[in-house]
Amino acid sequence: MKIRNLFLGLILPIVSMPVFAGHINRYQVVKRNNPIVTKLDSLQSLSVGNGHFAFTVDATGLQTFPDRYAHGVCLGTMSDWGWHSFSNPHHYRPEDAFVTKDFGRGHQEIYSAQFKSQGRQHDASNWLRVNPHRLHLGIVGLDFTDPSKLVSVNERLCLWRGMVKSRFLYDGKRYDVKTVCSPDRDKIASEVISDANPRIRFRFPYPTGGHSDDACNWSSDGKHLTEVIKSSPHAVLLRHTIDSTIYYIRVTWNDKADFKATGRNSFLLSAKKRKIDFTVTFFQKSEYLQFSLRTATDFHTVAQKSARYWINYWKRGAVVDFSHVTDPRARELERRVVLSQYLLAVNDAGNMPPQETGLTYNSWFGKFHLEMVWWHEAQFALWGHPDLLVPALDWYLKVEPVARSIARRQGFRGVRWMKMTDPSGMEAPSNVGSYLIWQQPHPIYLAELLYRAVPGKSKEILTRYGDMVDKTAMFMADFVTYDSISHRYILKGCIPAQETLKADSTVNPPFELSYWHFALSTAQKWRERRGLRRVPLWDRIISQLSPLAMNSDSLYLAAESAVNTFKDIRFTSDHPAVLGALGVLPQCPLVQPAVMRKTLQWIWNNWNWPTTWGWDYPMTAMCAARMGEPDRAVDALLLAKQKNTYLVNGHNYQDDRLRIYLPGNGGLLTAVAMMCAGWDGCTKSNPGFPAGWDVRWQGLLPLP
């Protein structure tokens, strides 16, 4: 698919670049963090991509041994548009998974749920969760069969140019492989030079519909078909039909080679000399007529375009140089930062919010979670790439009618943003996700970051997103309940970010209270910027929201209703979300800094850390930074816990299911931006780093 910049008229490069350094050699900062792979390791795969499309390779520089990586960092070929649904012979509808709740807000509320008891509701909710699911578009690898014959591996990802280079021996023969991705099409290009005549194997899988896997079902060859529909001496056009889903693959080569089918969904490109230079482009039917077999580009043309794109990315955005810091941990922190910058540009800059595993492999059936969108996307605005944030924000505009219908069926005004969803915006049934609310303020926060990042386009941004901000805030105002006895507004009937709490018993979760205050206050600012009157109801809610609840020891509770927070492990497991109330979010009247500082200390010493997730560590760092504890902020970013592990390729490893976790990478970049550039009202340089840490940076923006 040709990737069009639909947002060029909205986003312009930032003219002024905030600086806390003299000259920084950006090339050296990037180059010294190039990942190097020396063996066939399922957790050390590398990716090339452009935000809309990604291609992940093993130690050979291509997707030669996908089975070896199926339970690691999978060898995915995924795109924005590559989605599929299994047939629906029973005609399941969203309404089949609805359940009615009464949370005491004066009306019944209809939610999309899962069901344990067998029957239509159970089957419907399962089908709706699985469909649609993201497709693996195809495997492109060398025609090798025995991993034990692969030795002397030396593979490197050149971050500066977006190229994977791999040298190795296979069966005693030398191979030199280079692979890149086009910046503006769903296309990879590769050059293979060998002592033997190289052969490239193409395989196209049937989808699995699995919750968390490589999306490759190799045991259903008869259920789909890949056909050659056009060919020439140096190109072939394939059509892959999977049920009602059809897409196309164009393969081109510039050296003499034969292309032939080896099965119903497999093909072999055999070079007649010891070199093969080829490209593979994936596209939808809508682009079918745009492709000609005679307009092929070679590897070097694509490599030059890739280099221009990535060099511009590194030069245009922000940079942080840790090389002048004497603390030995700074080297690892810089590695994580640079690799996260690359991985998020490859996986997270598409036309919709990304799934937690991006375009690398499927988690939650390939669907994405809107409570994670802030962790993925906020960093783009802070690191000098606001144009990469715009597509995700524009997706909210596209699916607004769906969000409005969700609010309406639950008896609320405005729009209620879904949690687990797909390109259409349909809400996936869930007994947790359907009751979450902390995804609701995210588009307001992200729109505010965009507004700050591109001051020269403030009027256009206000016009484009102002109505969305209003409708988002309208739901938030309708969702709160007025307590006429205590004369305050409360939050109830929800599951907070700390998902161990229950919807029917939770009252006033702390992060959500603080987020409601921030988002409604920001929505009022947006109205004033647009020349509109403030909404009186919103001001009343802002002034009368419940303060964060604490116990007799002046420690903040997991919720006002969680009176046993410090006795029941359920309340000290999962995300320590209370820290986000003054970390992710700025100081507000609901939060007392002294109490938060004491709560941070207790959490640091007592939390059930094995149950946390990758973004909890940067969240802790942001809270520590705002509390004036820079040493703890650095310690949090580098805390030696399994889910704070960063692999050779820069991915944030969680566990056997989530071998990569991009919200952790995004959270890291957001925290580092804040620790360098600070936040509104902060006058200290590098406020999140200890005295003596000579951290130098350019181009970062502060948080609110």
Side-chain angles (χ1 to χ4, degrees):
M1 178 181 75
K2 185 175 182 180
I3 298 162
R4 297 171 294 160
N5 189 350
L6 302 177
F7 321 105
L8 195 59
L10 174 61
I11 298 301
L12 296 176
I14 297 174
V15 177
S16 61
M17 179 173 284
V19 175
F20 187 69
H23 173 72
I24 294 177
N25 189 324
R26 290 168 175 253
Y27 172 70
Q28 289 299 328
V29 172
V30 175
K31 179 185 176 182
R32 63 177 174 249
N33 291 289
N34 287 342
I36 298 172
V37 174
T38 59
K39 60 183 178 180
L40 204 65
D41 186 322
S42 67
L43 293 178
Q44 295 187 18
S45 55
L46 303 172
S47 297
V48 293
N50 54 38
H52 303 263
F53 169 83
F55 182 78
T56 301
V57 302
D58 61 25
T60 69
L62 289 166
Q63 298 168 329
T64 303
F65 298 108
D67 292 347
R68 286 286 295 267
Y69 288 71
H71 301 290
V73 181
C74 307
L75 308 185
T77 305
M78 293 184 168
S79 72
D80 276 342
W81 52 263
W83 293 78
H84 167 267
S85 288
F86 295 124
S87 63
N88 185 12
H90 299 288
H91 307 290
Y92 296 126
R93 304 173 302 161
E95 302 93 287
D96 293 329
F98 285 172
V99 64
T100 301
K101 296 284 188 179
D102 185 350
F103 290 117
R105 283 186 276 256
H107 53 83
Q108 292 187 326
E109 303 169 25
I110 301 174
Y111 289 83
S112 184
Q114 294 172 270
F115 299 85
K116 295 181 179 179
S117 300
Q118 295 297 314
R120 183 173 179 84
Q121 287 184 310
H122 171 271
D123 296 341
S125 64
N126 285 348
W127 191 92
L128 291 164
R129 282 176 63 80
V130 170
N131 297 285
H133 41 263
R134 199 182 299 263
L135 281 173
H136 191 302
L137 299 176
I139 291 287
V140 181
L142 291 159
D143 188 31
F144 298 164
T145 58
D146 187 352
S148 68
K149 294 182 178 180
L150 183 74
V151 297
S152 302
V153 173
N154 188 331
E155 182 182 46
R156 181 186 304 263
L157 171 56
C158 176
L159 299 165
W160 189 253
R161 302 174 67 88
M163 179 186 294
V164 173
K165 300 178 180 179
S166 182
R167 292 183 176 180
F168 55 88
L169 296 176
Y170 181 81
D171 200 18
K173 302 294 193 299
R174 177 184 61 88
Y175 284 80
D176 192 331
V177 181
K178 298 176 182 177
T179 301
V180 295
C181 176
S182 169
D184 58 2
R185 288 191 183 275
D186 294 354
K187 173 195 291 187
I188 63 107
S190 188
E191 178 187 75
V192 182
I193 301 173
S194 174
D195 294 338
N197 293 2
R199 297 193 301 179
I200 310 301
R201 181 171 50 170
F202 300 83
R203 294 193 292 156
F204 301 95
Y206 191 71
T208 64
H211 179 277
S212 180
D213 64 7
D214 63 357
C216 292
N217 176 358
W218 300 112
S219 62
S220 298
D221 210 38
K223 293 183 178 180
H224 61 123
L225 177 64
T226 312
E227 307 166 272
V228 176
I229 57 173
K230 288 184 181 181
S231 64
S232 73
H234 290 279
V236 65
L237 184 64
L238 306 175
R239 179 174 60 210
H240 191 197
T241 303
I242 311 173
D243 303 319
S244 61
T245 299
I246 298 174
Y247 65 94
Y248 296 83
I249 308 99
R250 184 180 69 165
V251 183
T252 70
W253 57 93
N254 287 334
D255 304 289
K256 291 185 178 181
D258 291 327
F259 188 91
K260 67 176 182 179
T262 57
R264 184 178 171 89
N265 295 288
S266 60
F267 302 85
L268 192 66
L269 177 64
S270 302
K272 294 187 176 180
K273 294 184 178 180
R274 296 185 176 182
K275 175 178 176 290
I276 187 73
D277 170 337
F278 68 95
T279 71
V280 187
T281 308
F282 300 85
F283 58 99
Q284 301 176 88
K285 187 175 183 179
S286 60
E287 294 187 90
Y288 173 77
L289 295 177
Q290 300 178 27
F291 279 82
S292 166
L293 296 182
R294 293 177 294 180
T295 58
T297 53
D298 61 9
F299 166 77
H300 293 286
T301 300
V302 180
Q304 288 173 358
K305 292 179 70 174
S306 171
R308 285 195 297 269
Y309 173 83
W310 281 105
I311 291 170
N312 180 61
Y313 173 81
W314 293 113
K315 287 185 175 180
R316 179 169 59 94
V319 63
V320 180
D321 181 356
F322 288 91
S323 65
H324 301 277
V325 180
T326 58
D327 190 316
R329 297 177 299 168
R331 178 72 185 85
E332 169 61 13
L333 187 53
E334 183 184 90
R335 183 187 76 88
R336 296 183 182 192
V337 165
V338 172
L339 290 175
S340 294
Q341 288 176 269
Y342 178 81
L343 290 171
L344 293 170
V346 165
N347 287 279
D348 280 16
N351 292 334
M352 62 198 74
Q355 65 171 318
E356 295 184 13
T357 46
L359 297 169
T360 303
Y361 79 89
N362 275 353
S363 54
W364 284 273
F365 316 102
K367 297 184 177 182
F368 40 94
H369 297 168
L370 292 195
E371 89 278 20
M372 289 293 104
V373 69
W374 189 91
W375 295 100
H376 287 281
E377 304 285 327
Q379 51 82 28
F380 284 134
L382 303 175
W383 283 78
H385 300 288
D387 53 311
L388 301 185
L389 168 59
V390 170
L393 270 178
D394 275 7
W395 178 85
Y396 280 94
L397 303 180
K398 174 185 174 183
V399 302
E400 185 269 341
V402 182
R404 186 170 64 248
S405 70
I406 294 173
R408 187 186 304 119
R409 69 171 156 81
Q410 295 175 357
F412 300 110
R413 297 186 302 153
V415 296
R416 181 170 190 170
W417 300 111
M418 56 295 294
K419 189 271 192 194
M420 176 175 158
T421 186
D422 58 67
S424 73
M426 293 302 295
E427 182 182 30
S430 173
N431 290 337
V432 174
S434 296
Y435 303 95
L436 290 180
I437 58 170
W438 68 292
Q439 74 273 19
Q440 184 69 18
H442 283 345
I444 296 179
Y445 200 141
L446 293 174
E448 175 68 9
L449 291 180
L450 183 65
Y451 177 86
R452 292 161 171 249
V454 196
K457 288 288 181 177
S458 57
K459 183 177 180 180
E460 291 91 332
I461 291 170
L462 291 171
T463 300
R464 194 175 187 116
Y465 302 113
D467 188 57
M468 178 196 71
V469 168
D470 265 359
K471 290 178 180 177
T472 301
M474 188 182 297
F475 168 85
M476 296 176 68
D478 222 22
F479 188 82
V480 298
T481 302
Y482 185 67
D483 178 355
S484 59
I485 297 175
S486 301
H487 304 292
R488 59 177 183 151
Y489 287 93
I490 64 173
L491 286 171
K492 65 178 183 178
C494 61
I495 293 179
Q498 189 178 349
E499 294 181 7
T500 53
L501 281 68
K502 299 178 180 179
D504 59 358
S505 58
T506 295
V507 177
N508 282 339
F511 177 63
E512 284 75 6
L513 280 172
S514 189
Y515 213 170
W516 245 243
H517 189 282
F518 172 81
L520 288 175
S521 299
T522 303
Q524 293 283 49
K525 290 179 184 177
W526 270 59
R527 290 185 63 82
E528 291 177 330
R529 292 167 183 167
R530 296 162 64 205
L532 302 175
R533 294 180 59 189
R534 294 173 69 94
V535 178
L537 173 62
W538 299 0
D539 277 336
R540 287 200 300 274
I541 294 171
I542 292 167
S543 65
Q544 293 181 262
L545 268 173
S546 302
L548 273 60
M550 67 181 81
N551 70 359
S552 58
D553 293 326
S554 294
L555 295 171
Y556 281 132
L557 303 174
E560 185 176 314
S561 52
V563 293
N564 292 322
T565 290
F566 305 101
K567 299 178 181 178
D568 186 341
I569 196 171
R570 177 164 66 94
F571 299 127
T572 55
S573 296
D574 197 45
H575 309 294
V578 62
L579 300 182
L582 185 48
V584 171
L585 300 168
Q587 172 68 50
C588 78
L590 309 183
V591 185
Q592 298 181 39
V595 178
M596 183 61 77
R597 185 175 294 108
K598 188 175 180 182
T599 304
L600 169 64
Q601 177 68 47
W602 191 95
I603 288 174
W604 186 265
N605 293 330
N606 299 283
W607 200 260
N608 184 16
W609 287 104
T611 66
T612 55
W613 297 91
W615 54 266
D616 292 324
Y617 304 95
M619 179 176 66
T620 303
M622 287 187 275
C623 181
R626 292 204 197 240
M627 293 295 96
E629 298 188 24
D631 290 282
R632 196 187 302 278
V634 172
D635 289 344
L637 290 185
L638 296 167
L639 201 60
K641 303 294 180 182
Q642 176 178 300
K643 292 180 181 177
N644 200 32
T645 300
Y646 282 72
L647 304 173
V648 167
N649 49 30
H651 277 298
N652 179 205
Y653 178 88
Q654 302 296 285
D655 53 27
D656 290 342
R657 182 183 62 174
L658 286 174
R659 286 87 70 186
I660 71 175
Y661 190 62
L662 292 165
N665 297 92
L668 170 71
L669 292 185
T670 300
V672 169
M674 175 197 190
M675 291 162 69
C676 290
W679 50 90
D680 291 354
C682 175
T683 58
K684 185 179 180 181
S685 301
N686 285 339
F689 291 102
W693 273 57
D694 184 8
V695 181
R696 305 182 183 185
W697 55 270
Q698 296 174 348
L700 295 169
L701 294 180
L703 276 180

